[in-house]
Amino acid sequence: MMTPVVDLKEIAPGIVQVTMQDKEHKNTFTEALMVELINAFETIRNTPHLKVVIVTGYDNYFASGGTQESLLDIYEGKVSFADINLYSLAQDCPIPVISAMQGHGIGGGFVFGMFADFIILGKESFYTTNFMKYGFTPGMGATYVLPQKLGISLAQEMLLTANSYRGADLEKRGIPFPVLPRNEVLSHARQLAGDLADKPRHSLVTLKEHLVSVAREQLPAIIKKEVAMHDKTFHHPEVKERIIALFGK
């Protein structure tokens, strides 16, 4: 049997931890990782006593975005990132989600983490929305969630330049969530989860639904616009050349 690339474990009463652990592919969004993440969140949705979710990675990696194969499939028009709604799993989850982003968050992997209700970064880790480095415009709701979570100025800088930032660099830029040494991120997330799990589940669900209601209403239109931008920017020969060259490094 193949080793699961997502581990789902209730680590304390009402607290479930989702650990992405595809070490072979450094937590890129392979089909296996995507399917297991979707299944994990479906299990959480159907487990009525749970109160809070922690999502984390392994060692130096949180999540690394699209695989070379998936990006080439988008280039060739075979698929769209919107075909599988991975990006808003955390936002759509009825209970609060904490992204314990202890390791690198790259491209769609960083965006995936940013949709959580609480975000914790690692000082030593790198975070980037590197879509434009490949020559195509951002997807996965990046153009919506980054301005919401980071502020317009920093979000525009990250999206347009596709530069990489250490967690410590983002902390200096004034991001509004904790940045801790990598080996302290998960313990901080568990402490926060304990604070949340002390509250009644029905109240947590009710308040989260209210807090994310506007985002849930607005995101589909943003995704539609990002797909339209992909139609304009993704299918140029330069994009294929960049995908092949950059994955070869």
Side-chain angles (χ1 to χ4, degrees):
M1 294 181 64
M2 294 181 62
T3 302
V5 293
V6 173
D7 179 61
L8 180 67
K9 183 181 297 183
E10 187 169 355
I11 59 172
I15 301 173
V16 65
Q17 182 171 309
V18 177
T19 304
M20 297 176 285
Q21 54 186 16
D22 188 348
K23 297 183 180 181
E24 180 181 355
H25 301 100
K26 298 180 179 178
N27 278 353
T28 52
F29 288 140
T30 61
E31 182 178 357
L33 184 60
M34 290 191 293
V35 168
E36 290 187 30
L37 276 172
I38 290 169
N39 289 342
F41 274 91
E42 186 64 20
T43 298
I44 291 165
R45 177 179 291 276
N46 294 322
T47 307
H49 74 275
L50 295 178
K51 295 183 176 182
V52 57
V53 184
I54 298 171
V55 181
T56 193
Y58 75 92
D59 297 343
N60 296 347
Y61 289 93
F62 175 71
S64 300
T67 65
Q68 183 181 50
E69 292 76 15
S70 65
L71 295 181
L72 289 174
D73 282 347
I74 296 174
Y75 165 79
E76 293 172 3
K78 296 178 180 178
V79 298
S80 161
F81 76 86
D83 291 344
I84 298 177
N85 185 353
L86 188 71
Y87 44 88
S88 65
L89 286 177
Q91 180 176 277
D92 293 338
C93 185
I95 57 177
V97 178
I98 302 168
S99 280
M101 301 176 68
Q102 88 303 331
H104 308 314
I106 302 169
F110 180 61
V111 177
F112 171 72
M114 294 295 285
F115 272 100
D117 305 288
F118 299 89
I119 299 161
I120 310 163
L121 302 185
K123 284 182 180 288
E124 311 94 322
S125 299
F126 283 101
Y127 304 98
T128 178
T129 50
N130 60 345
F131 305 91
M132 292 285 279
K133 186 172 290 187
Y134 294 95
F136 57 84
T137 49
M140 289 194 66
T143 60
Y144 180 81
V145 73
L146 260 69
Q148 292 288 325
K149 296 294 178 72
L150 299 176
I152 293 174
S153 179
L154 179 56
Q156 288 185 340
E157 179 182 318
M158 292 187 75
L159 291 168
L160 285 165
T161 66
N163 287 339
S164 296
Y165 302 76
R166 286 191 183 273
D169 298 327
L170 295 174
E171 183 180 31
K172 291 177 182 177
R173 298 289 296 270
I175 61 170
F177 27 80
V179 182
L180 304 172
R182 181 181 294 146
N183 60 4
E184 297 178 14
V185 169
L186 187 55
S187 60
H188 184 81
R190 289 178 173 178
Q191 181 179 358
L192 174 58
D195 292 340
L196 291 165
D198 180 58
K199 313 302 186 293
R201 184 183 191 277
H202 63 86
S203 295
L204 290 169
V205 170
T206 300
L207 181 55
K208 173 167 178 173
E209 184 175 6
H210 169 72
L211 291 173
V212 302
S213 60
V214 173
R216 287 175 178 171
E217 291 171 3
Q218 294 180 347
L219 186 60
I222 298 296
I223 296 299
K224 187 176 180 179
K225 290 180 180 179
E226 289 183 349
V227 170
M229 287 194 294
H230 274 191
D231 288 341
K232 294 179 180 179
T233 64
F234 221 116
H235 309 298
H236 295 266
E238 181 184 358
V239 170
K240 182 177 182 179
E241 294 168 3
R242 285 174 177 250
I243 291 171
I244 293 172
L246 289 169
F247 269 90
K249 291 184 178 180

